[in-house]
Amino acid sequence: MNTLAAPDPLTTLYLNHHGWLQTWLRRRLGCAADAADLAQDAFMRLLLAPRQFNSTPETRGYLRTMANGLCIDLWRRRELEQAWLQTLACRPEAVEPSPEHRALVVETLLEISNMLSRLSQKAAAAFIMAQVDGLPYREIATQLEVSERMVKKYIAQAMLQCALIEAGQQG
């Protein structure tokens, strides 16, 4: 008896939609290699967190939304990398960091960017003013037009997000 087992749902999903998603990404990104990488990332995410879909439009809508988020992450990463490279270009060659150090810095900047995006605009601004500019809470409160106590709450929110990143929970 020679019976073939039916492919699992993820295999079917991949076979039916991978080419479409990769084409959609290639049009959006203008780069076949990036499109292939992000299409693969999208299906890897589905492998880690499987979903059931009831129709092709529902499936493609979900994949398009996920892929759009992956595009935004890619663009954000490249933007941060470019800013970091521009900063490095201004430094003398003798103090140029190794490629491993550069990658670590870019990854850290991405984590900080993601952390700040989870905060309210005022909380993110308070954190930056305190940590980057070194401003005292009183001055931050004046600039943000809030109480000093509110600045302390904003900083506490940001520090909680930092602790979650450190613990590997990513907020």
Side-chain angles (χ1 to χ4, degrees), residues 123-163:
F127 180 76
I128 290 170
M129 285 185 227
Q131 298 301 312
V132 177
D133 301 330
L135 296 180
Y137 288 3
R138 181 173 294 149
E139 193 170 332
I140 295 169
T142 301
Q143 286 190 29
L144 295 178
E145 298 177 345
V146 297
S147 67
E148 216 173 310
R149 182 175 179 179
M150 196 69 222
V151 170
K152 290 177 184 177
K153 286 183 180 182
Y154 289 153
I155 300 298
Q157 291 169 3
M159 297 307 279
L160 173 61
Q161 291 299 316
C162 288

Side-chain angles (χ1 to χ4, degrees), residues 17-58:
H17 301 286
H18 181 266
W20 168 84
L21 182 61
Q22 192 166 340
T23 300
W24 184 86
L25 283 163
R26 188 172 40 251
R27 280 195 305 266
R28 182 130 167 91
L29 298 169
C31 176
D34 287 342
D37 287 345
L38 293 189
Q40 201 63 27
D41 287 350
F43 282 97
M44 286 302 297
R45 288 183 181 197
L46 281 173
L47 182 64
L48 297 172
R51 290 184 50 106
Q52 293 282 1
F53 300 102
N54 296 319
S55 67
T56 295
E58 179 188 356

Side-chain angles (χ1 to χ4, degrees), residues 8-20 22 39-40 43:
D8 68 273
L10 185 61
T11 300
T12 302
L13 184 74
Y14 184 88
L15 293 172
N16 291 341
H17 301 286
H18 181 266
W20 168 84
Q22 192 166 340
Q40 201 63 27
F43 282 97

